Amino acid sequence: FPSSLLFSFAQNSPKRQSLPPLQNNQLVKKMKSVVALLSLLLLCLTASSSAFAPATRTTALMPRTASTAAAPSATSLNMVFGNKKSAAQKAAEEEKAAKFWQGEWVCKDCGYIYQRAECAGMYFEEQGPGFRCPQCSGPRRRYAKKVGDVVGTTLDGGDAPILIFSFGGVIATIAFGIWAVNNL
């Protein structure tokens, strides 16, 4: 741009006018109310997020408070080590174990091996449809039986139903396209 054009534009541009004191005070009041509203909203959000935060645990590194140190322990040795099982209880447990897969269940997504002790002592087959992998949150259908070094299929047939319906949908779409081109 030529400098004369820029100079003429700068001379013709309107100058800023300051607001009258009354309007300036109103603007300040509005800004204060907006800031107060935003700070109140931020306070509410932080209060609600701390309400849903997980409870803190006392560890060996954290000092105990007087309330936790004074509470008597309700655990007994039977709760820690368990009761001695009778022969009938052992037989019932073995019979139950015989109904379920004795090998390993492996998550196909992350390779996590199902550990009965980590999952409330339940066999994998006892887990409901809402069960998720503890490591990757994959659904139950992504688990498969592991036999040696080979991972087999899952309880619901694996990915076969998904693939069959996907290819069926593609074929139906192509058939409809061909029909539409020929008939319309």
Coordinates of all heavy atoms in Angstrom, one line a residue, residues 129-172:
P129 N -23.6 -60.2 31.9 CA -23.3 -59.6 30.6 C -22.7 -58.2 30.7 O -22.1 -57.6 29.8 CB -24.6 -59.5 29.8 CG -25.6 -59.8 30.9 CD -25.0 -60.5 32.0
G130 N -22.8 -57.6 31.9 CA -22.3 -56.2 32.1 C -20.8 -56.2 32.6 O -20.2 -55.2 32.8
F131 N -20.2 -57.4 32.7 CA -18.8 -57.5 33.1 C -17.9 -56.9 32.1 O -18.1 -57.0 30.9 CB -18.4 -59.0 33.3 CG -17.0 -59.2 33.6 CD1 -16.4 -58.9 34.8 CD2 -16.1 -59.6 32.6 CE1 -15.1 -59.1 35.1 CE2 -14.7 -59.8 32.9 CZ -14.3 -59.5 34.1
R132 N -16.9 -56.1 32.6 CA -15.9 -55.5 31.8 C -14.5 -55.9 32.2 O -14.3 -56.2 33.4 CB -16.0 -53.9 31.9 CG -17.3 -53.4 31.5 CD -17.1 -52.7 30.2 NE -18.4 -52.2 29.7 CZ -18.5 -52.1 28.4 NH1 -17.6 -52.5 27.5 NH2 -19.7 -51.6 27.9
C133 N -13.6 -55.8 31.3 CA -12.2 -56.2 31.6 C -11.7 -55.2 32.5 O -11.8 -53.9 32.3 CB -11.4 -56.1 30.3 SG -9.6 -56.4 30.5
P134 N -11.0 -55.6 33.6 CA -10.5 -54.7 34.6 C -9.4 -53.8 34.1 O -9.1 -52.7 34.6 CB -10.0 -55.5 35.7 CG -10.5 -56.9 35.5 CD -10.9 -57.0 34.1
Q135 N -8.7 -54.2 33.0 CA -7.6 -53.5 32.5 C -8.0 -52.5 31.4 O -7.5 -51.3 31.4 CB -6.5 -54.5 32.0 CG -5.2 -53.8 31.5 CD -4.2 -54.8 31.3 OE1 -4.1 -55.8 32.1 NE2 -3.3 -54.6 30.4
C136 N -8.8 -52.9 30.4 CA -9.1 -52.0 29.3 C -10.6 -51.7 29.2 O -11.0 -51.0 28.2 CB -8.6 -52.7 28.0 SG -9.5 -54.1 27.5
S137 N -11.4 -52.2 30.0 CA -12.9 -52.0 30.0 C -13.5 -52.6 28.8 O -14.6 -52.1 28.4 CB -13.2 -50.5 30.1 OG -12.7 -50.0 31.4
G138 N -12.9 -53.6 28.2 CA -13.5 -54.3 27.1 C -14.7 -55.1 27.6 O -14.7 -55.6 28.7
P139 N -15.7 -55.3 26.7 CA -16.9 -56.1 27.2 C -16.6 -57.5 27.3 O -15.5 -58.0 26.8 CB -17.9 -55.8 26.0 CG -17.0 -55.5 24.8 CD -15.8 -54.8 25.4
R140 N -17.4 -58.3 28.0 CA -17.3 -59.7 28.3 C -17.1 -60.5 27.0 O -16.4 -61.5 27.0 CB -18.5 -60.2 29.1 CG -18.4 -61.6 29.5 CD -19.6 -61.9 30.3 NE -19.6 -63.3 30.8 CZ -20.3 -64.3 30.3 NH1 -21.1 -64.1 29.3 NH2 -20.2 -65.5 30.8
R141 N -17.7 -60.1 25.9 CA -17.7 -60.9 24.7 C -16.3 -60.9 24.0 O -16.0 -61.6 23.1 CB -18.7 -60.3 23.7 CG -18.4 -59.0 23.1 CD -19.4 -58.6 22.1 NE -19.2 -57.3 21.6 CZ -19.7 -56.2 22.0 NH1 -20.6 -56.2 23.0 NH2 -19.4 -55.0 21.6
R142 N -15.4 -60.0 24.5 CA -14.1 -59.9 23.9 C -13.1 -60.9 24.6 O -12.0 -61.0 24.2 CB -13.5 -58.5 24.0 CG -14.3 -57.5 23.2 CD -14.3 -57.8 21.8 NE -12.9 -57.8 21.2 CZ -12.5 -58.4 20.2 NH1 -13.4 -59.1 19.5 NH2 -11.3 -58.4 19.8
Y143 N -13.6 -61.7 25.6 CA -12.8 -62.7 26.2 C -12.8 -64.0 25.4 O -13.9 -64.3 24.9 CB -13.2 -62.9 27.7 CG -12.6 -62.0 28.7 CD1 -13.2 -60.8 28.9 CD2 -11.5 -62.4 29.4 CE1 -12.6 -59.9 29.8 CE2 -10.9 -61.5 30.3 CZ -11.5 -60.3 30.5 OH -10.9 -59.4 31.4
A144 N -11.7 -64.7 25.4 CA -11.7 -66.0 24.7 C -10.9 -67.0 25.6 O -10.1 -66.7 26.4 CB -11.0 -65.8 23.4
K145 N -11.2 -68.3 25.3 CA -10.6 -69.4 26.0 C -9.1 -69.5 25.5 O -8.9 -69.4 24.3 CB -11.3 -70.7 25.8 CG -12.7 -70.7 26.5 CD -13.3 -72.1 26.2 CE -14.7 -72.1 26.8 NZ -15.4 -73.4 26.5
K146 N -8.2 -69.7 26.4 CA -6.8 -70.0 26.0 C -6.5 -71.4 26.2 O -6.6 -71.9 27.3 CB -5.9 -69.0 26.7 CG -4.4 -69.2 26.4 CD -3.6 -68.3 27.2 CE -2.1 -68.5 26.8 NZ -1.2 -67.7 27.7
V147 N -6.1 -72.1 25.2 CA -5.6 -73.5 25.3 C -4.2 -73.6 24.8 O -3.9 -73.4 23.6 CB -6.5 -74.4 24.4 CG1 -6.1 -75.9 24.5 CG2 -8.0 -74.3 24.8
G148 N -3.3 -73.7 25.7 CA -1.9 -73.7 25.4 C -1.5 -72.3 24.9 O -1.6 -71.4 25.7
D149 N -1.0 -72.2 23.7 CA -0.6 -70.9 23.2 C -1.7 -70.3 22.2 O -1.5 -69.3 21.6 CB 0.7 -71.0 22.4 CG 1.8 -71.2 23.4 OD1 1.7 -70.9 24.6 OD2 2.9 -71.7 23.0
V150 N -2.8 -71.1 22.0 CA -3.8 -70.7 21.1 C -5.0 -70.1 21.8 O -5.5 -70.7 22.8 CB -4.3 -71.9 20.3 CG1 -5.4 -71.5 19.3 CG2 -3.1 -72.5 19.5
V151 N -5.5 -69.0 21.3 CA -6.7 -68.3 21.9 C -7.9 -68.7 21.1 O -7.9 -68.5 19.8 CB -6.6 -66.8 22.0 CG1 -7.8 -66.2 22.5 CG2 -5.4 -66.4 22.9
G152 N -8.9 -69.3 21.7 CA -10.1 -69.8 20.9 C -11.2 -68.8 20.8 O -10.9 -67.6 20.8
T153 N -12.4 -69.2 20.7 CA -13.6 -68.3 20.6 C -14.2 -68.0 21.9 O -13.9 -68.6 22.9 CB -14.6 -69.0 19.7 OG1 -15.1 -70.2 20.3 CG2 -14.1 -69.3 18.3
T154 N -15.0 -67.0 21.9 CA -15.6 -66.5 23.1 C -17.0 -67.2 23.3 O -17.4 -68.1 22.5 CB -15.9 -65.0 23.0 OG1 -16.8 -64.8 21.9 CG2 -14.6 -64.2 22.8
L155 N -17.6 -66.9 24.4 CA -18.9 -67.6 24.7 C -20.0 -67.3 23.6 O -20.8 -68.1 23.4 CB -19.4 -67.1 26.1 CG -18.6 -67.6 27.3 CD1 -19.2 -67.0 28.5 CD2 -18.7 -69.1 27.4
D156 N -20.0 -66.1 23.1 CA -21.0 -65.7 22.1 C -20.6 -65.9 20.7 O -21.2 -65.4 19.8 CB -21.4 -64.2 22.4 CG -20.3 -63.3 22.1 OD1 -19.2 -63.7 21.9 OD2 -20.6 -62.1 22.2
G157 N -19.6 -66.7 20.4 CA -19.2 -67.0 19.0 C -18.2 -66.0 18.5 O -17.8 -66.1 17.3
G158 N -17.6 -65.1 19.3 CA -16.6 -64.2 18.8 C -17.1 -63.2 17.9 O -18.2 -62.7 18.0
D159 N -16.3 -62.9 16.8 CA -16.7 -61.8 15.9 C -17.5 -62.3 14.7 O -17.8 -61.5 13.8 CB -15.4 -61.1 15.4 CG -14.8 -60.3 16.5 OD1 -15.5 -59.9 17.5 OD2 -13.5 -60.1 16.4
A160 N -17.7 -63.6 14.6 CA -18.4 -64.2 13.5 C -19.8 -63.6 13.2 O -20.1 -63.2 12.1 CB -18.5 -65.7 13.6
P161 N -20.7 -63.4 14.2 CA -22.0 -62.8 13.9 C -21.8 -61.3 13.4 O -22.5 -60.9 12.5 CB -22.7 -62.8 15.3 CG -22.0 -63.9 16.1 CD -20.6 -63.9 15.6
I162 N -20.9 -60.6 13.9 CA -20.7 -59.2 13.5 C -20.2 -59.2 12.0 O -20.7 -58.4 11.2 CB -19.6 -58.5 14.4 CG1 -20.2 -58.4 15.8 CG2 -19.3 -57.2 13.9 CD1 -19.2 -58.0 16.8
L163 N -19.3 -60.1 11.7 CA -18.7 -60.1 10.3 C -19.8 -60.6 9.3 O -19.9 -60.0 8.2 CB -17.5 -61.0 10.3 CG -16.3 -60.5 11.0 CD1 -15.2 -61.6 11.0 CD2 -15.8 -59.2 10.5
I164 N -20.6 -61.6 9.7 CA -21.6 -62.1 8.8 C -22.6 -61.0 8.5 O -23.0 -60.8 7.3 CB -22.3 -63.4 9.4 CG1 -21.3 -64.5 9.4 CG2 -23.6 -63.7 8.7 CD1 -21.8 -65.7 10.2
F165 N -23.1 -60.3 9.5 CA -24.1 -59.3 9.3 C -23.5 -58.1 8.6 O -24.2 -57.4 7.8 CB -24.8 -58.9 10.6 CG -25.8 -59.8 11.1 CD1 -25.6 -60.7 12.1 CD2 -27.1 -59.9 10.4 CE1 -26.5 -61.6 12.5 CE2 -28.0 -60.8 10.8 CZ -27.7 -61.7 11.9
S166 N -22.2 -57.8 8.8 CA -21.6 -56.7 8.1 C -21.5 -57.0 6.6 O -21.9 -56.1 5.8 CB -20.2 -56.4 8.7 OG -20.3 -56.0 10.0
F167 N -21.0 -58.2 6.3 CA -20.9 -58.5 4.8 C -22.3 -58.7 4.2 O -22.5 -58.3 3.1 CB -20.1 -59.8 4.7 CG -18.6 -59.7 4.9 CD1 -18.0 -60.5 5.8 CD2 -17.9 -58.7 4.3 CE1 -16.6 -60.3 6.0 CE2 -16.6 -58.5 4.5 CZ -15.9 -59.3 5.4
G168 N -23.2 -59.2 5.0 CA -24.6 -59.2 4.5 C -25.2 -57.9 4.2 O -25.9 -57.6 3.2
G169 N -24.9 -56.9 5.0 CA -25.3 -55.5 4.8 C -24.7 -54.9 3.6 O -25.3 -54.2 2.8
V170 N -23.4 -55.2 3.4 CA -22.7 -54.7 2.2 C -23.3 -55.3 0.9 O -23.6 -54.6 -0.1 CB -21.2 -55.0 2.3 CG1 -20.5 -54.7 0.9 CG2 -20.5 -54.1 3.4
I171 N -23.5 -56.6 0.9 CA -24.1 -57.2 -0.2 C -25.5 -56.7 -0.5 O -25.9 -56.5 -1.7 CB -24.1 -58.8 0.0 CG1 -22.7 -59.3 -0.1 CG2 -25.0 -59.5 -1.1 CD1 -22.5 -60.7 0.4
A172 N -26.3 -56.5 0.5 CA -27.7 -56.0 0.4 C -27.6 -54.5 -0.2 O -28.4 -54.2 -1.1 CB -28.4 -56.0 1.7

